[in-house]
Amino acid sequence: MSHTYEKLSSNKAKLTFVIPAEQFDEAMNKAYLKNRGRINVPGFRKGKAPRKLIENMYGEGVFYDDALDMIFPEVYPAAIEAEGLQPVDRPEVDVQEIGSGKELKFTCEFFVRPDVELGQYKGLEVEVEKQNVTDDLVDTRIKQDQQKAARTIDVDDRAVENGDTVNLDYAGSVDGVAFEGGTAQGQTLVIGSNTFIPGFEEQMIGMQIGEEKDLNVTFPEQYHSEELAGKAAVFHVKVNGITVTEMPELDDDFAADVSDFTTFAEYKESIVKELTEKAEKNNDVTIENALVEKAVENATIDVPDAMIAEQTQYILREMEMRMMYQGLRMQDYMKYTGQTMEQLQEAYRGEAEKRVRVELTLEAIRKAEGIEPTEEEIAAEMKSQAERMGQKTEEFEDSLTEAQRGYIADAAAVQKVVALLKADAKVTEKKAADAE
């Protein structure tokens, strides 16, 4: 057996195979032995008819496909390995010469991982919008702790006021006829939240516990239910109870309740530190993404459709797994959104192509720079991933397959490539006015 390799383009290859006549005849005989038991020949029991007789009746080509199928797994993978090729789809096989006593000649054309023509990737200049820790951001973060520490108090000595949380029953009707979804008991409503139909919450202000009242409202012209859009409605409501949320004072006692600090000043300082560290990490990620995007933009890559299709399927599998954790099936999601699988594939095609271009560019830079991670760097990546999975490093490492270990080593190499991009980069901050 011999083969020749031809590079058709930056992402396509061709292998031409010449199989000796003796090897092909041996495969033909194996194909005959495999199939003779299911071929009917008058005058012979199944499996007893001679090969030549079967070929005379049905044509010599009756065994060609099976013979080729037997030879292909022997010669194709060996040629791929010998040439160091990385196919990304199934080959197109074209038989050029075939027949008993003849050499078998056929070609395989297939897409491979494409060549990457790198552009500039060192000394890149990028402009990014950075996160900054402002007083408003700190106040918002403290507000979250304040709301967690808040307590709910029942009110029984006054009427409903704006900001109260009211427990109520209601029954809605249009022209005296109840409508679907318009009735509820024990519903909770924050007055002033504007979650109900306009005018509903305002008319509840001043109502007493136990009081019943008809509220006259009009559904918005743009409403999710066409049957109710723009219609006048009456809601008969009853107030069952009133509660208010009491926020704790922002003082030393509050700090001691929600943190390990004894003074509010220390607590606030810890919040500033927490937000600053988070912002710095986010800014690092933003810078890294911008630099990688720039390097990809500067590279020239002819990405095969097969790679994009494969990555699209991977994205959709990730999506399906996330849905499963939430108790939702992909079929249900498509039903709710009115989308077909083909539409989903098209929607994520752009993201898939972007991922492939990033992977190929980083891989090309790694190869060009001869970057390989050290054992210490792989161990650090292993520890980082174990922490993200909420596992001990040793347990996480023991659970990995060889392929997964290789993935982690590659991830450590990517970190080194990104560090290379950052080393000589010029990063400027995009001002808020520029970002708008």
Side-chain angles (χ1 to χ4, degrees):
M1 183 274 292
S2 64
H3 77 269
T4 56
Y5 161 61
E6 182 182 355
K7 184 176 181 178
L8 300 180
S9 68
S10 68
N11 66 7
K12 198 169 188 181
K14 178 180 179 180
L15 290 171
T16 300
F17 295 92
V18 179
I19 310 300
E22 312 84 67
Q23 186 178 347
F24 180 63
D25 280 342
E26 183 182 342
M28 286 279 284
N29 196 51
K30 288 180 180 178
Y32 156 69
L33 294 174
K34 173 186 173 184
N35 291 287
R36 65 182 178 177
R38 55 186 180 82
I39 297 176
N40 289 318
V41 176
F44 291 88
R45 285 181 299 157
K46 280 189 176 182
K48 297 301 181 179
R51 172 182 160 188
K52 281 296 181 184
L53 186 59
I54 294 174
E55 289 177 340
N56 288 337
M57 281 194 64
Y58 293 96
E60 186 181 87
V62 68
F63 299 125
Y64 284 175
D65 287 346
D66 281 325
L68 180 58
D69 286 345
M70 290 175 181
I71 288 173
F72 187 86
E74 297 179 12
V75 300
Y76 179 73
I80 291 296
E81 184 177 357
E83 300 296 341
L85 301 174
Q86 293 180 286
V88 297
D89 68 346
R90 295 174 63 85
E92 290 186 9
V93 179
D94 179 27
V95 177
Q96 298 175 320
E97 185 177 333
I98 191 169
S100 292
K102 299 179 182 178
E103 292 180 327
L104 168 64
K105 295 181 181 179
F106 65 95
T107 62
C108 295
E109 291 188 12
F110 48 92
F111 286 99
V112 295
R113 289 177 75 86
D115 295 333
V116 177
E117 185 181 334
L118 290 171
Q120 181 186 0
Y121 60 86
K122 293 181 180 179
L124 294 173
E125 297 185 13
V126 293
E127 188 179 31
V128 299
E129 186 177 358
K130 293 185 178 180
Q131 291 184 14
N132 296 301
V133 179
T134 63
D135 290 341
D136 286 344
L137 198 60
V138 174
D139 290 343
T140 299
R141 174 63 182 79
I142 293 174
K143 185 81 171 178
Q144 292 172 355
D145 282 347
Q146 189 182 28
Q147 289 173 336
K148 289 178 184 177
R151 60 184 186 131
T152 301
I153 301 173
D154 291 328
V155 174
D156 55 14
D157 58 351
R158 63 168 176 79
V160 174
E161 295 180 359
N162 195 43
D164 289 346
T165 299
V166 177
N167 183 285
L168 71 153
D169 302 334
Y170 62 81
S173 61
V174 172
D175 296 330
V177 180
F179 54 87
E180 185 178 355
T183 302
Q185 284 78 43
Q187 183 79 18
T188 298
L189 173 63
V190 177
I191 304 301
S193 63
N194 298 316
T195 53
F196 270 36
I197 303 165
F200 188 104
E201 296 169 27
E202 293 85 343
Q203 293 180 62
M204 289 197 65
I205 294 175
M207 292 183 66
Q208 300 284 344
I209 295 175
E211 182 179 350
E212 299 185 36
K213 181 179 178 181
D214 285 340
L215 309 182
N216 295 290
V217 297
T218 301
F219 283 97
E221 293 292 340
Q222 301 298 323
Y223 194 64
H224 61 82
S225 173
E226 293 182 5
E227 295 79 7
L228 298 175
K231 297 287 183 65
V234 176
F235 280 86
H236 184 79
V237 301
K238 177 185 177 183
V239 176
N240 300 320
I242 305 170
T243 60
V244 294
T245 301
E246 185 180 79
M247 295 288 191
E249 293 291 329
L250 299 179
D251 53 20
D252 292 346
D253 289 338
F254 165 76
D257 287 340
V258 300
S259 72
D260 296 329
F261 301 96
T262 56
T263 69
F264 183 78
E266 290 174 318
Y267 160 75
K268 185 174 181 179
E269 184 181 341
S270 73
I271 295 296
V272 173
K273 182 181 178 183
E274 171 195 319
L275 293 177
T276 300
E277 290 175 352
K278 184 177 180 181
E280 288 173 351
K281 287 182 181 179
N282 289 339
N283 288 338
D284 264 352
V285 171
T286 299
I287 291 168
E288 289 173 359
N289 288 343
L291 289 170
V292 169
E293 188 175 327
K294 192 73 171 178
V296 172
E297 183 183 316
N298 291 341
T300 302
I301 316 172
D302 187 6
V303 181
D305 280 344
M307 292 189 75
I308 299 173
E310 183 181 7
Q311 186 62 229
T312 302
Q313 289 303 115
Y314 181 78
I315 291 173
L316 292 176
R317 285 196 297 272
E318 285 182 325
M319 180 178 172
E320 188 171 17
M321 288 299 294
R322 290 195 298 271
M323 287 182 185
M324 287 175 61
Y325 286 129
Q326 298 170 1
L328 184 66
R329 298 184 306 165
M330 179 66 85
Q331 298 94 314
D332 296 329
Y333 174 80
M334 289 191 291
K335 181 180 178 181
Y336 297 150
T337 60
Q339 291 179 289
T340 64
M341 181 55 71
E342 290 74 20
Q343 288 172 322
L344 281 175
Q345 289 170 346
E346 185 60 32
Y348 285 99
R349 180 180 171 84
E351 172 63 23
E353 181 174 358
K354 181 179 178 181
R355 287 192 186 186
V356 172
R357 288 184 178 278
V358 167
E359 177 191 343
L360 292 171
T361 302
L362 294 179
E363 182 183 85
I365 295 172
R366 175 184 176 181
K367 184 177 179 181
E369 296 290 336
I371 292 174
E372 291 299 332
T374 65
E375 290 299 323
E376 291 76 12
E377 288 164 340
I378 295 174
E381 180 66 24
M382 188 84 68
K383 181 181 179 182
S384 176
Q385 294 208 23
E387 289 174 350
R388 285 199 290 272
M389 297 292 291
Q391 292 181 267
K392 292 182 179 179
T393 305
E394 295 78 10
E395 294 175 355
F396 176 72
E397 188 172 358
D398 289 342
S399 69
L400 297 176
T401 63
E402 284 303 313
Q404 290 169 330
R405 290 172 185 273
Y407 170 81
I408 289 175
D410 287 341
V414 167
Q415 292 300 319
K416 294 187 75 171
V417 172
V418 173
L420 173 72
L421 299 184
K422 291 171 69 177
D424 299 318
K426 181 181 178 182
V427 181
T428 55
E429 184 175 359
K430 185 184 295 183
K431 303 301 178 184
D434 299 332
E436 294 177 356

